Each structure stands twice: as structure tokens, then as C-alpha cells.
Amino acid sequence: MSGYVPNENFNAAKLMPGDIAEAQMTFYAGTDYRLLVCTQSMLGQASFQVTDLDGNEIYNNTNDHSDHFDFRVSGTQELIINLQIPAQKDVQINPQGCVAILVGKKVEAN
């Protein structure tokens, strides 16, 4: 989150391989944001998508496999973050691990 100050909200859950989760968050006009998705290494890297309330895709990390998304919204709005943990094959016991969505605001230069 270098260059960004995390907000006070903590969005985390215990998930297993193949699980899907969704979070709805408010983002305010004129602010530069970084959305960071962190997973425990045993789960692999989560794929995530950001959409508006109408389901229009704003960002999808499946092409660049990034763990973060930097953006600015033109007007205050609710966005939905959908994430999926990759399924694991040929395992007898699926691990359960922590997944967190962090949101930070860009630090203003003085």
C-alpha cells in the first residue's frame, strides 16, 4: 500500500479453494484509491473483478494477475468487488485461509 493510507474498514473472511465472495463498498468522487486483495499463500492468488451496481465491469485482474487496482471515480458511487479463490485439484483436505480486501487513499504530495 506504499503511497496510500489504508482506511479504517477491515474486510476479511476465511475462504477455501473454489469459494466465491462479494463485498460492496462506497468510493467518493475525486479521490485516488488502491484496492488490494491479499490471500494466504496456501490458497493461491485470488481472481477479482470490480463492477458497478448495474454489473458493468470496471476492472478484472484475470489478464494481468495483479493483486491491486488503482483508480479514481468521477462521482461518488457504490462498487462491488467479486473475488474467487482458485480450486485445488488432487488434494484430500482443502485448506482454509484468510482473504482480505484493503482500500487505501492516495497520499497527497505537499
Side-chain angles (χ1 to χ4, degrees), residues 1 7 14-15 21-22 30 38 41-42 58 62 66 75 83 87 99:
M1 293 291 282
N7 68 14
K14 285 184 183 179
L15 298 176
E22 176 180 291
C38 302
S41 60
M42 70 185 116
I58 296 168
T62 56
S66 179
L83 58 92
V99 178

Side-chain angles (χ1 to χ4, degrees), residues 40-91:
Q40 282 188 279
S41 60
M42 70 185 116
L43 294 176
Q45 184 177 8
S47 59
F48 70 96
Q49 175 186 44
V50 179
T51 64
D52 64 17
L53 294 180
D54 294 325
N56 298 311
E57 185 175 279
I58 296 168
Y59 176 75
N60 190 326
N61 81 328
T62 56
N63 293 328
D64 62 10
H65 305 289
S66 179
D67 63 354
H68 70 278
F69 171 49
D70 296 338
F71 64 101
R72 173 186 278 237
V73 291
S74 57
T76 299
Q77 62 184 301
E78 298 281 320
L79 297 178
I80 298 171
I81 296 90
N82 296 293
L83 58 92
Q84 182 170 5
I85 303 303
Q88 293 181 358
K89 299 175 183 155
D90 302 325
V91 294

Side-chain angles (χ1 to χ4, degrees), residues 1 5 8 10-11 14 17-18 23 39 42 53 61 72 79 92 108 110:
M1 293 291 282
V5 176
E8 62 280 352
F10 183 70
N11 300 290
K14 285 184 183 179
T39 60
M42 70 185 116
L53 294 180
N61 81 328
R72 173 186 278 237
L79 297 178
Q92 293 181 355
E108 298 292 325
N110 290 332

